[in-house]
């Protein structure tokens, strides 16, 4: 399953962990703890942002929801990190949203706003949030798909290509709001869909679909905590057919950033 395990050259000095190159060309970076994970993630995000602005004039970032990214967003908002990002050349999108108002405690937008977006000089017009407050989730999904097309300037049949997509991992193997058994897993045309997830605390959700997520130049999974160890092993080692395992950028890089607790059951990741 794994070719080698090594410390990545490029990140010497600030990656507080080690890398494993997996047969699926994904990299698993195991960090000591959640703080090290957040620091490694923040530095990697800044590297991608710098390259994107240098090469394409702007940085197209898709944020993850849930709890795990909070530490990373809060760190990115600190001056010693945020001063290294061209926020004036950054556009922020969301991978999924719960169908709740933007000030609701369960809103992914609210989490990102409080920890990052309200603390950095990003033009408000460059923050594209999903309208969780809209009762008609299907039209909210269509509206978000239209904003992707407009901001990316994509033509018919062309997919928007994020410079970086951040994703989390649920204990059932879901990512964004792509849950096991959901019909949206087979979506091939729409870039954004409304989904109903009976098992979720907030069942009604909006989510980006696999075609747009797998069109990204880079995808980073942020995964922390012992409660994720079983699912990390299932997805990365046992190759269980779960939504998170179906994230395979077609022409892009896939990096799993996990803390030691989450990588503990991984045959190699946990053995160090
Ligand atoms: C959401 C997320 C979801 C999340 C996972 C992990 O809106 O719930 O987008 O996919 O990333 O559920 O969540 P935690 O980081 O809170 O464990």
């Amino acid at each position: 399953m794994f070719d080698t395990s090594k410390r990545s050259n490029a990140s010497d000095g600030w990656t507080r962990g080690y890398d494993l190159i997996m047969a699926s060309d994904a990299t698993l970076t195991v960090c000591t703890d959640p703080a090290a994970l957040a620091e490694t993630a923040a530095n990697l995000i800044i590297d991608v942002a710098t390259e994107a602005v240098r090469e394409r004039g702007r940085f197209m970032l898709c944020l993850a929801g849930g709890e795990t990214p909070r530490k990373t967003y809060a760190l990115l908002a600190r001056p010693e990190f945020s001063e290294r990002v061209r926020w004036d050349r950054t556009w922020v999108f969301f991978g999924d949203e719960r169908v709740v108002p933007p000030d609701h405690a369960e809103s992914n937008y609210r989490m990102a706003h409080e920890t990052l977006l309200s603390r950095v000089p990003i033009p408000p017009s460059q923050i594209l949030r999903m309208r969780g407050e809209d009762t008609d989730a299907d039209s909210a999904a269509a509206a978000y798909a239209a904003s992707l097309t407009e901001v990316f300037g994509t033509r018919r049949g062309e997919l928007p290509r994020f410079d970086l997509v951040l994703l989390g991992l649920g204990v059932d193997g879901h990512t964004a709001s792509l849950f096991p058994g959901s019909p949206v897993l087979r979506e091939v045309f729409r870039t954004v869909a409304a989904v109903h997830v009976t098992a979720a605390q907030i069942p009604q959700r909006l989510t980006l679909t696999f075609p747009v997520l797998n069109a990204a130049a880079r995808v980073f999974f942020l995964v922390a905590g012992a409660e994720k160890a079983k699912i990390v092993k299932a997805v990365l080692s046992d190759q269980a057919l779960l939504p998170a395992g179906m994230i395979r950028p077609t022409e892009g890089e896939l990096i799993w950033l996990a803390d030691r607790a989450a990588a503990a059951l991984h045959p190699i990741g946990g053995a160090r």
Side-chain angles (χ1 to χ4, degrees), residues 64-69 96 98 108 167-170 174-177 205 228:
E67 286 307 306
T68 308
D96 74 325
R98 296 91 179 255
N108 285 336
L167 290 173
L169 174 68
H174 81 261
T175 190
S177 282
R205 291 157 170 255
K228 301 284 173 73

Side-chain angles (χ1 to χ4, degrees), residues 73 76-78 82 87 115-123 127:
Y73 298 165
L76 261 180
R78 281 176 32 191
S82 70
W87 295 104
T115 52
L116 175 63
L117 302 174
S118 61
R119 301 163 185 268
V120 295
I122 183 170
I127 299 171

